[in-house]
Structure formats: C-alpha cells, structure tokens
Amino acid sequence: ISRMHFQWDWLCLSVLIMSSVTAEIENEENQDTDIEVEDFDKESEDHDIGKDMSPLGVVYQTPKPTGEVYFTETFDGILAGWVLSKTKKEDTDDNISKYDGRWEVEELKENTVPGDRGLVLKSIAKHHAISAMLTKPFIFDDKPLIVQYEVNFQEGIDCGGAYIKLLSSSDDLDLEYFFDKTPYTIMFGPDKCGEDYKLHFIFRHKNPKTGEYDEKHAKQPGVDIKKFYTDKKTHLYTLVLKPDDTFEMLIDQSVVSKGSLLKDMVPPVNPPKEIDDPNDKKPDDWDERAKIPDPNAVKPDDWDEEEPLKIEDPDAVKPEGWLDDEPKYIPDPNAKKPKDWDEEMDGEWEAPQIPNPKCETVPGCGLWVHPMMNNPNYKGKWKPPMIDNPNYQGIWRPRKISNPDYFEDLHPFEMTAVSAIGLELWSMTSDIYFDNFIICSEKEVADRWAADGWGLKKLIASANEPGMFTQLMTAADDYPWLWVLYILTLALPVGLCVLFCWPAKKIDEDIDFKKSDIPKPVTKGELEQEGQELEDDEIELEEEKQNKE
C-alpha cells in the first residue's frame, strides 16, 4: 500500500509541474483576461466597404458604433476629416522643425485582416501632426469619458510615442496650425525611449484662482508593460474617466492602472493649505548638533600621536637563498635595436627589461628589506569623545503659514471640454499603426467596438501563432528558470516508467500467501518421506561445508 501511495504521489507531482508550465505560457499570451470575439452583427452586412475573407474564413466588416459616440474612425474608407499640420515646432532647429512626417493608410504587415486598414506613421526622425474634429464636443458633466484606440509597433520601437491628444475647445482652434503648444485637455497613450516604457495619462487642470493651466500626471502602471512595445502585435489602449473623479487605464481590456484624480496625480490637483514661511530665517544661535565633543575630556599622558601606523617587523629574517646582488629585472639579451631608430630623435636605445631568470628559483632578488607590520602602539590623533549636546534644539524648520495660493477643487473631472483629437509625435521608428478610434460614454459601446475590430485582429494573430515547441523556447528565452521545469517534465515520464514497470525484487517469496498455501492434513508416510529428505539435505550441507574448509 505504501508503495502504491508513493507512485501516486509521483504521478500527481508530474501533473502539477506540467500544468504550471502550460499555465505560465498561457499567462504570457493572455494577460489576466481573454476577450471573446463575438459574432458580427447582421446589421453591418450591407456595408459597402471591407468584405474580404480572412484566413479563418471570417468576413471582415468595418465596425459600426452601437450607441452614442463623440468620435469614431476606422480608416477603412477615404481619409476624410483629417487635417495635416502646416506649421512648425517652436524652439527647434529649422531643418527639423516642420511637421513634414509622412502618414499612410494601409493594412498591417503581419497578421493582416483583409480589408482592415489603419493610419500608419511612416517617417523616421521627423515631426508628425494630424488631427480631426469630433462629431460633437465632449463636455465633462455627468457622463464618463471613454477613449479607446489600437496601436501596433510593427517594427518595434526605439524612441517615440503613440499617444493621442484631446484638444481643448476654443473659438480659435485651427487644425492646420496644430502643434506641440496647442492647448489640450487630455493626453493618453504609450511612449518609450531607451528602456523607459511609459503609459501616459496627463490632464491639464485650470487653477480656479489664477486661470492658469498645470499638467497633472498619473502614476505609471505597477505592472511590466514592455511586451506591448516589443511583440509586434496590435494592442488595445483604453482610458476611462468617471464623474466620481476616478480613472482607469487598460491594455487589451485588462486594467493596468487606476486611481483618483484627487489623490493619485503628480503634482496633486489641490495645493497644501499651509506652506513654509519664505520670510522665516533660522536664528544664528540655533544649535542643530545632536552630539558634541566632551569639553571636559583630557588627552591621556601616554597618548603618543607620533607613533606611525606601520613599522618594520623586527622578527622578520631574510630567507635563505636570497640573491642580494642580482637585480629583479635585466635587459632583454635577445632584443635588438630597430633599424629605424634615430638616436638624435629618439635618444639612446635601451633594451626592454625582462624578469631576471635567476630569480625564478630563489625566494627573491635585490636589496632585502624588513616587511611592514601594524604598529601595536599606534593610536592616531587624539579626539575627545562625543556626548549628547545639552543645548540641542533639533533640526530647524521654518514656521507654517496659510498658503495664499490655496484652493480646493473637489471635482477635477469637470475639465475643459474637448472638440478635436490629434496625434503630434516624433519617432525614431517607422510603421507605427493606429486604428479604430472611438470616444464614447458607455462601456458596452466601447467593448462591442473592440470586439468587431481589435477582437478579430487578436483572433487571427492567435491562429498564426507558432507551435507549442517554439512558444516554449521563446518563453524560456524570456524566463530562463523555465528550463528547470522543462527538464523535470521530461525526466518525470522516464522516472515513472522505471518506477511502475521495473520488476520489484522479492525479499521473501513467502510474504504473499495464497489460498493454495493453506496447510492440508499430512499422512504418516508423507511425514517419514519429508524427514528422510531433510536428513539428505543436512548431509549435503555438511559435505559442502567440509569442501569449503
């Protein structure tokens, strides 16, 4: 029974380890949640754009919003309503100040969905700016704001962004002059330079006292978002702002950051009630020293500050065989003066020094000196011991006064209305793909929009994934510790085969009793025969013993 339990323990352990490997791979592919791609609406069957067949046999149809929206864009038709900037970037060299970066509308390079096109940033090391008016302005009152769009870094990303700006409503807003100083209300999206991977959420808050605007930055996500910039897949970015002054940032419909507009922005929306008095000065006699030298301490009479730290070891003896008259280094006897050596220009030529071969087999060569040792009488410069300062007053801080610039905005959600969307970007990598923009107030509308667009891209990308072996190797490259699990997983079947199939050695054949082994009545003749056999066996054993001796 114990042997059977041991075998079942090994079997359960193998199942658990193999399950953990599979779960790790699936977790990397689908972060926290999977998005189910719904069937397409029959309502969109009569759409006149995009009815090509995907590799999975699914007909792509341009997504249509299912509720109230403030802006949508799929880029599947003509690029209507979008305006290229004709201005220049300020405070920049003239040769790169123009917004002359090129945009194209085209399909994805990989995992292509036939008929599904997006806006692609094509130029390297150039400024790009393009914008479009919303269908109707969004006013921050009692409805949430949901901003959602897709990004694919088709060539990876070295340094550049893929964020969007929601431009503030104003009478003088001219999209042809959209540039980096154009007032915006919200900036949201991915950005990367070097090894700094960011997901921006910035909003411009209006100071109710001065009327000036300050940028408030959300804290960066606490999860690793590097894979979204490097895997060359299409990812869905969503920002949700709620009238209760909270926000959420999502990637592929999984929350990566959330918080409060009042508590989780840097700098805070509301300034402190009190500030340090700028006119308060530290008194000259203010004592901040916690410890001071003991004024009553006296240097001991036997304290000798002249004793050196190191002295010669008086007990050291020169090793036998030491060659005092032999130098450590000698001129190389095989060296020859170069033919182009000019003594007038280069000076007198001397052969390079090499270690003296006579010193290799002896303790040493040259003048022997006593080695140095720590001086037992060394005490160094005397200093009085430190004691608590009786006059210690603590670290001085200026007194607090009421903040003359204090205000309290209890509802920072009530931002400046937005009437346009724009992309104002610089990138050192080309082919950044944007698609399926939507601005709305209902989560169901955004989710359905995502299912009809990004969901199909995700489905096709999953179908085109490499085999399990390639995925395992790729995962091990990112997480080397997986090799341990792989080795254990391969070794377990071998161990289990040995454990279950190898014949067990019988220690005693009489351990297992059978019904046929139950004693039966024995006759007198049988007893005499068995007795004779035992005597014969004893005689044979005695003869074998004598032969061995």
Side-chain angles (χ1 to χ4, degrees):
I1 293 175
S2 61
R3 177 180 177 81
M4 185 177 296
H5 284 174
F6 179 72
Q7 293 174 342
W8 276 109
D9 290 344
W10 270 96
L11 184 60
C12 292
L13 178 61
S14 66
V15 172
L16 286 174
I17 292 179
M18 287 186 284
S19 299
S20 68
V21 175
T22 305
E24 177 68 23
I25 301 302
E26 291 178 353
N27 185 56
E28 290 300 314
E29 293 299 321
N30 305 306
Q31 186 186 22
D32 297 332
T33 58
D34 284 333
I35 307 305
E36 181 180 353
V37 180
E38 303 176 5
D39 294 332
F40 295 93
D41 276 342
K42 294 181 179 179
E43 298 175 0
S44 60
E45 290 181 356
D46 58 347
H47 200 277
D48 59 348
I49 297 175
K51 293 196 175 184
D52 296 306
M53 188 76 70
S54 73
L56 296 180
V58 179
V59 176
Y60 169 74
Q61 296 179 348
T62 300
K64 288 184 177 181
T66 56
E68 182 184 15
V69 296
Y70 300 89
F71 181 80
T72 60
E73 180 58 79
T74 62
F75 302 105
D76 291 340
I78 60 174
L79 194 61
W82 289 88
V83 180
L84 291 171
S85 177
K86 298 179 180 179
T87 188
K88 295 182 179 181
K89 187 179 178 72
E90 294 183 354
D91 305 324
T92 308
D93 294 338
D94 289 339
N95 58 337
I96 60 171
S97 62
K98 291 183 179 180
Y99 285 95
D100 55 355
R102 188 164 58 91
W103 300 90
E104 295 288 349
V105 175
E106 56 192 31
E107 295 181 347
L108 283 168
K109 290 184 175 181
E110 298 179 4
N111 300 316
T112 303
V113 180
D116 185 7
R117 301 192 297 171
L119 181 67
V120 181
L121 181 150
K122 301 297 291 185
S123 304
I124 297 175
K126 287 184 178 293
H127 292 288
H128 302 70
I130 190 170
S131 54
M133 297 297 295
L134 303 188
T135 306
K136 58 182 178 179
F138 181 87
I139 299 173
F140 294 85
D141 46 23
D142 58 351
K143 291 184 178 180
L145 170 68
I146 301 176
V147 183
Q148 183 171 276
Y149 68 107
E150 302 168 14
V151 176
N152 187 320
F153 296 106
Q154 300 184 94
E155 301 296 333
I157 183 70
D158 293 325
C159 185
Y163 45 81
I164 63 172
K165 291 181 178 180
L166 300 184
L167 307 183
S168 303
S169 298
S170 66
D171 295 335
D172 58 351
L173 178 61
D174 188 343
L175 299 187
E176 288 189 352
Y177 294 93
F178 169 48
F179 71 132
D180 61 318
K181 299 294 175 57
T182 301
Y184 69 89
T185 299
I186 289 174
M187 189 176 102
F188 168 68
D191 189 18
K192 186 255 183 181
C193 202
E195 288 301 315
D196 193 9
Y197 298 86
K198 293 182 178 180
L199 181 61
H200 289 297
F201 164 44
I202 305 170
F203 77 91
R204 295 174 71 246
H205 178 259
K206 184 178 181 180
N207 187 315
K209 297 190 69 173
T210 65
E212 296 179 352
Y213 285 87
D214 295 316
E215 290 185 350
K216 309 297 180 182
H217 296 246
K219 298 175 182 177
Q220 288 300 308
V223 299
D224 185 9
I225 59 175
K226 179 178 178 179
K227 63 171 290 186
F228 302 112
Y229 299 74
T230 59
D231 62 4
K232 300 182 180 181
K233 295 180 180 179
T234 303
H235 294 289
L236 186 71
Y237 293 86
T238 308
L239 171 66
V240 180
L241 291 181
K242 300 178 182 178
D244 63 356
D245 301 299
T246 60
F247 69 89
E248 289 182 342
M249 289 189 283
L250 303 90
I251 303 179
D252 296 347
Q253 298 191 327
S254 295
V255 176
V256 296
S257 179
K258 63 181 179 179
S260 166
L261 298 177
L262 288 167
K263 299 178 182 178
D264 299 305
M265 306 302 291
V266 180
V269 169
N270 295 313
K273 290 184 178 181
E274 293 185 329
I275 61 172
D276 294 339
D277 185 356
N279 299 318
D280 192 14
K281 306 297 181 183
K282 183 174 70 172
D284 295 335
D285 59 349
W286 189 277
D287 196 342
E288 294 183 335
R289 300 174 300 165
K291 297 282 186 179
I292 60 171
D294 185 357
N296 300 319
V298 179
K299 183 174 70 172
D301 295 335
D302 59 349
W303 191 284
D304 187 355
E305 296 182 348
E306 303 300 325
E307 285 285 345
L309 176 63
K310 296 283 187 179
I311 61 172
E312 291 184 350
D313 185 358
D315 299 326
V317 179
K318 182 171 66 174
E320 294 184 3
W322 188 281
L323 303 179
D324 296 87
D325 299 330
E326 289 289 340
K328 290 183 180 180
Y329 297 93
I330 61 172
D332 185 356
N334 298 322
K336 296 181 180 181
K337 183 172 69 173
K339 294 180 180 180
D340 58 350
W341 187 274
D342 188 345
E343 293 191 356
E344 292 183 0
M345 296 292 296
D346 303 325
E348 184 180 355
W349 180 82
E350 295 180 356
Q353 299 286 306
I354 63 171
N356 191 342
K358 295 181 180 180
C359 301
E360 294 179 356
T361 58
V362 296
C365 294
L367 179 63
W368 181 83
V369 295
H370 287 265
M372 303 300 286
M373 60 174 286
N374 291 330
N375 185 358
N377 298 321
Y378 172 76
K379 295 184 178 180
K381 185 175 179 60
W382 181 84
K383 296 179 181 179
M386 304 298 286
I387 62 172
D388 291 335
N389 183 2
N391 299 320
Y392 176 63
Q393 295 175 273
I395 303 300
W396 182 84
R397 293 180 177 85
R399 63 174 173 267
K400 296 289 186 179
I401 61 171
S402 296
N403 186 357
D405 299 322
Y406 174 74
F407 63 83
E408 188 175 26
D409 183 353
L410 297 178
H411 299 291
F413 172 78
E414 298 174 358
M415 305 175 191
T416 304
V418 297
S419 58
I421 181 173
L423 292 91
E424 189 266 320
L425 305 168
W426 164 276
S427 178
M428 295 303 295
T429 308
S430 63
D431 292 323
I432 301 176
Y433 176 96
F434 300 86
D435 200 5
N436 293 332
F437 289 89
I438 186 170
I439 299 176
C440 61
S441 293
E442 301 177 48
K443 185 176 183 300
E444 294 77 11
V445 174
D447 288 347
R448 179 52 192 259
W449 179 266
D452 290 348
W454 171 76
L456 183 57
K457 291 186 179 74
K458 182 174 183 287
L459 182 65
I460 292 177
S462 299
N464 293 335
E465 283 291 323
M468 178 60 70
F469 180 78
T470 303
Q471 293 185 45
L472 291 173
M473 295 301 101
T474 302
D477 290 340
D478 295 334
Y479 302 96
W481 54 267
L482 285 174
W483 285 111
V484 178
L485 292 179
Y486 297 167
I487 294 172
L488 288 176
T489 304
L490 293 174
L492 276 174
V494 177
L496 292 174
C497 288
V498 173
L499 195 64
F500 282 98
C501 303
W502 196 267
K505 183 178 179 181
K506 292 186 178 181
I507 305 300
D508 190 350
E509 294 182 354
D510 295 334
I511 292 178
D512 297 328
F513 292 96
K514 300 179 181 178
K515 290 183 178 181
S516 58
D517 295 335
I518 297 175
K520 298 179 181 179
V522 181
T523 61
K524 181 177 179 182
E526 290 175 343
L527 287 175
E528 291 178 352
Q529 184 177 355
E530 289 181 1
Q532 184 63 38
E533 291 176 353
L534 289 174
E535 289 180 1
D536 295 340
D537 290 341
E538 289 178 358
I539 293 172
E540 291 180 0
L541 290 173
E542 186 66 24
E543 291 178 353
E544 289 181 1
K545 184 177 179 181
Q546 291 177 357
N547 292 335
K548 289 181 179 179
E549 292 177 353

